[in-house]
Amino acid sequence: MRSFYASVEAVKLNLDPMSALLAVVGDPDRPGSIVLAASPALKQKYGISNVSRFFDLPKHDPELYIVQAHMADYLYVSSEITKLLYQYVPKEAIHQYSVDEVWVTVNGMERLFGTRWEIAEKIKEDILENFGITCSIGIGDNKFLAKVVMDLHAKKVGIAECRYEDVEEKLWPFPVEKIWGIGGRMKRNLNRMGIVTLGQIARFSLDQLKKRFGVMGEQLYWHAWGIDLSPVFGNFTKTEQKGFGHGISLLRDYSAEEAPICILDLCEEVCRRARTADQAGRTIHLGVSYSKKTGGGFSRSQSVSIPTNVTMDVYGVCLQLFRKFYDGKSNIRHVYVTLGNLFAKGETQLDLFEDRPKKNDIGYAMDAIRDKFGTTAILRATSYTNAGITIGRSKKIGGHRA
């Protein structure tokens, strides 16, 4: 979807999403709040992007609309667009990549809807007619080619295609940082090796890339040749859970006294998710980032002998890590907690020296109350202090207003 959040808000205001000057902001009351989405016209006229801040917006322009994010609306429209795609292909042929991007495998649909170009045109028209939103569509012989040709070409022309034989012409000339899957750190590493474009990766030694980057180097090489063996049919909603993590970027600096309250709320959410999945973990990870004034932070893990999903067990370990690695003076701006090295509930053993079943039952009882009456129906007393984060987060989706 083109500027999805901004397009949804424009349609709600009876504006043309492609020509209106509209920005979706996380919190208009905070000058430093991030611009979550800018309409195509706003991007073109003022260079506003998804990394801009509220104070970057041209507020002198009387045609500018500044709208607060409504995440529930975007999730609803996203699910409705996916339902529309069910008219073309079965669920097994749809792989939802994000709230505004999806892969659709159209193999075998020719007799019903025509060629893949004709199907793309029909989907584009259907989405515009039903939702008022313009989309870009990339067509490829695999997921990688479809995604990259959409990013590089379709966003300019609407629909673009890249087959295996088109890779050299359509993809190789582009800088590596423009290619899906290559981030800033990988870009710097490749540049140090004299690699600037995708074509240079394709011509580079596979053995050297594997030696330097391991499995990622091999993937880079084959992607540069347009080769991607990712499955295009299956249940893409079911993935193996490696761990349960929860983090937050705090709206203000937290002191050493306030941080444990935030950590406890995060432990509660992490363990709730683990209990819901009937999983327990042995490795507990705490990450803390300090405020910009001092910079830095720490990220440390500790393992326990018996897998657990008990909030106070995880919290106790996190407190040990905090007291051991915190520098004792810096303000805190970001915290995350992760429970990993998972085991199924039935695989965990009992402890002879504590009433573990009782501790587990308390957690499951609290979860049942929250499931029935809402996430804030029963909370720890610390969650009601100024340092608690659960109540504020309960009103948000993805960290933004629902």
Side-chain angles (χ1 to χ4, degrees), residues 370-381:
R370 291 180 182 131
D371 290 342
K372 187 172 182 178
F373 299 105
T375 55
T376 59
I378 181 169
L379 298 174
R380 299 179 187 274

PDB file of all heavy atoms in Angstrom, residues 370-381:
ATOM      1  N   ARG A 370      -7.387 -11.470  33.287  1.00  0.00           N
ATOM      2  CA  ARG A 370      -7.105 -10.468  32.251  1.00  0.00           C
ATOM      3  C   ARG A 370      -7.761 -10.841  30.924  1.00  0.00           C
ATOM      4  O   ARG A 370      -8.246  -9.970  30.198  1.00  0.00           O
ATOM      5  CB  ARG A 370      -5.593 -10.333  32.076  1.00  0.00           C
ATOM      6  CG  ARG A 370      -4.909  -9.696  33.280  1.00  0.00           C
ATOM      7  CD  ARG A 370      -3.411  -9.601  33.049  1.00  0.00           C
ATOM      8  NE  ARG A 370      -2.761  -9.031  34.210  1.00  0.00           N
ATOM      9  CZ  ARG A 370      -1.697  -9.545  34.801  1.00  0.00           C
ATOM     10  NH1 ARG A 370      -1.161 -10.661  34.339  1.00  0.00           N
ATOM     11  NH2 ARG A 370      -1.153  -8.962  35.847  1.00  0.00           N
ATOM     12  N   ASP A 371      -7.743 -12.126  30.599  1.00  0.00           N
ATOM     13  CA  ASP A 371      -8.374 -12.555  29.345  1.00  0.00           C
ATOM     14  C   ASP A 371      -9.874 -12.246  29.344  1.00  0.00           C
ATOM     15  O   ASP A 371     -10.445 -11.907  28.301  1.00  0.00           O
ATOM     16  CB  ASP A 371      -8.158 -14.056  29.130  1.00  0.00           C
ATOM     17  CG  ASP A 371      -6.716 -14.395  28.804  1.00  0.00           C
ATOM     18  OD1 ASP A 371      -5.971 -13.471  28.412  1.00  0.00           O
ATOM     19  OD2 ASP A 371      -6.322 -15.571  28.964  1.00  0.00           O
ATOM     20  N   LYS A 372     -10.502 -12.368  30.491  1.00  0.00           N
ATOM     21  CA  LYS A 372     -11.952 -12.187  30.571  1.00  0.00           C
ATOM     22  C   LYS A 372     -12.349 -10.724  30.728  1.00  0.00           C
ATOM     23  O   LYS A 372     -13.327 -10.271  30.128  1.00  0.00           O
ATOM     24  CB  LYS A 372     -12.509 -12.998  31.733  1.00  0.00           C
ATOM     25  CG  LYS A 372     -14.038 -13.007  31.803  1.00  0.00           C
ATOM     26  CD  LYS A 372     -14.544 -13.987  32.855  1.00  0.00           C
ATOM     27  CE  LYS A 372     -16.073 -14.023  32.872  1.00  0.00           C
ATOM     28  NZ  LYS A 372     -16.577 -15.010  33.865  1.00  0.00           N
ATOM     29  N   PHE A 373     -11.570  -9.972  31.522  1.00  0.00           N
ATOM     30  CA  PHE A 373     -11.997  -8.617  31.873  1.00  0.00           C
ATOM     31  C   PHE A 373     -11.086  -7.508  31.342  1.00  0.00           C
ATOM     32  O   PHE A 373     -11.339  -6.334  31.600  1.00  0.00           O
ATOM     33  CB  PHE A 373     -12.101  -8.489  33.402  1.00  0.00           C
ATOM     34  CG  PHE A 373     -13.113  -9.421  34.011  1.00  0.00           C
ATOM     35  CD1 PHE A 373     -12.704 -10.547  34.709  1.00  0.00           C
ATOM     36  CD2 PHE A 373     -14.473  -9.172  33.874  1.00  0.00           C
ATOM     37  CE1 PHE A 373     -13.630 -11.414  35.275  1.00  0.00           C
ATOM     38  CE2 PHE A 373     -15.405 -10.036  34.436  1.00  0.00           C
ATOM     39  CZ  PHE A 373     -14.986 -11.153  35.133  1.00  0.00           C
ATOM     40  N   GLY A 374     -10.029  -7.869  30.632  1.00  0.00           N
ATOM     41  CA  GLY A 374      -9.148  -6.844  30.082  1.00  0.00           C
ATOM     42  C   GLY A 374      -7.765  -6.883  30.714  1.00  0.00           C
ATOM     43  O   GLY A 374      -7.581  -7.376  31.825  1.00  0.00           O
ATOM     44  N   THR A 375      -6.774  -6.337  29.975  1.00  0.00           N
ATOM     45  CA  THR A 375      -5.379  -6.444  30.394  1.00  0.00           C
ATOM     46  C   THR A 375      -5.083  -5.691  31.684  1.00  0.00           C
ATOM     47  O   THR A 375      -4.095  -5.995  32.368  1.00  0.00           O
ATOM     48  CB  THR A 375      -4.452  -5.907  29.294  1.00  0.00           C
ATOM     49  OG1 THR A 375      -4.845  -4.564  28.969  1.00  0.00           O
ATOM     50  CG2 THR A 375      -4.528  -6.768  28.050  1.00  0.00           C
ATOM     51  N   THR A 376      -5.916  -4.715  32.027  1.00  0.00           N
ATOM     52  CA  THR A 376      -5.660  -3.956  33.258  1.00  0.00           C
ATOM     53  C   THR A 376      -6.611  -4.344  34.390  1.00  0.00           C
ATOM     54  O   THR A 376      -6.724  -3.635  35.387  1.00  0.00           O
ATOM     55  CB  THR A 376      -5.781  -2.443  32.988  1.00  0.00           C
ATOM     56  OG1 THR A 376      -7.098  -2.159  32.491  1.00  0.00           O
ATOM     57  CG2 THR A 376      -4.752  -1.992  31.962  1.00  0.00           C
ATOM     58  N   ALA A 377      -7.306  -5.477  34.258  1.00  0.00           N
ATOM     59  CA  ALA A 377      -8.276  -5.883  35.278  1.00  0.00           C
ATOM     60  C   ALA A 377      -7.601  -6.221  36.600  1.00  0.00           C
ATOM     61  O   ALA A 377      -8.157  -5.997  37.672  1.00  0.00           O
ATOM     62  CB  ALA A 377      -9.084  -7.081  34.784  1.00  0.00           C
ATOM     63  N   ILE A 378      -6.400  -6.766  36.536  1.00  0.00           N
ATOM     64  CA  ILE A 378      -5.654  -7.077  37.752  1.00  0.00           C
ATOM     65  C   ILE A 378      -4.180  -6.771  37.487  1.00  0.00           C
ATOM     66  O   ILE A 378      -3.589  -7.283  36.537  1.00  0.00           O
ATOM     67  CB  ILE A 378      -5.851  -8.550  38.197  1.00  0.00           C
ATOM     68  CG1 ILE A 378      -5.075  -8.832  39.484  1.00  0.00           C
ATOM     69  CG2 ILE A 378      -5.488  -9.522  37.102  1.00  0.00           C
ATOM     70  CD1 ILE A 378      -5.425 -10.167  40.124  1.00  0.00           C
ATOM     71  N   LEU A 379      -3.616  -5.889  38.308  1.00  0.00           N
ATOM     72  CA  LEU A 379      -2.241  -5.442  38.129  1.00  0.00           C
ATOM     73  C   LEU A 379      -1.513  -5.454  39.463  1.00  0.00           C
ATOM     74  O   LEU A 379      -2.123  -5.410  40.533  1.00  0.00           O
ATOM     75  CB  LEU A 379      -2.200  -4.018  37.563  1.00  0.00           C
ATOM     76  CG  LEU A 379      -2.822  -3.782  36.188  1.00  0.00           C
ATOM     77  CD1 LEU A 379      -2.811  -2.296  35.864  1.00  0.00           C
ATOM     78  CD2 LEU A 379      -2.068  -4.552  35.113  1.00  0.00           C
ATOM     79  N   ARG A 380      -0.209  -5.471  39.382  1.00  0.00           N
ATOM     80  CA  ARG A 380       0.594  -5.288  40.579  1.00  0.00           C
ATOM     81  C   ARG A 380       0.544  -3.815  40.991  1.00  0.00           C
ATOM     82  O   ARG A 380       0.395  -2.924  40.136  1.00  0.00           O
ATOM     83  CB  ARG A 380       2.033  -5.726  40.326  1.00  0.00           C
ATOM     84  CG  ARG A 380       2.114  -7.205  39.954  1.00  0.00           C
ATOM     85  CD  ARG A 380       3.527  -7.658  39.666  1.00  0.00           C
ATOM     86  NE  ARG A 380       3.496  -9.026  39.160  1.00  0.00           N
ATOM     87  CZ  ARG A 380       3.495 -10.111  39.931  1.00  0.00           C
ATOM     88  NH1 ARG A 380       3.523  -9.962  41.248  1.00  0.00           N
ATOM     89  NH2 ARG A 380       3.460 -11.317  39.411  1.00  0.00           N
ATOM     90  N   ALA A 381       0.680  -3.550  42.283  1.00  0.00           N
ATOM     91  CA  ALA A 381       0.531  -2.186  42.792  1.00  0.00           C
ATOM     92  C   ALA A 381       1.509  -1.225  42.135  1.00  0.00           C
ATOM     93  O   ALA A 381       1.177  -0.059  41.870  1.00  0.00           O
ATOM     94  CB  ALA A 381       0.720  -2.176  44.315  1.00  0.00           C
TER      95      ALA A 381
END
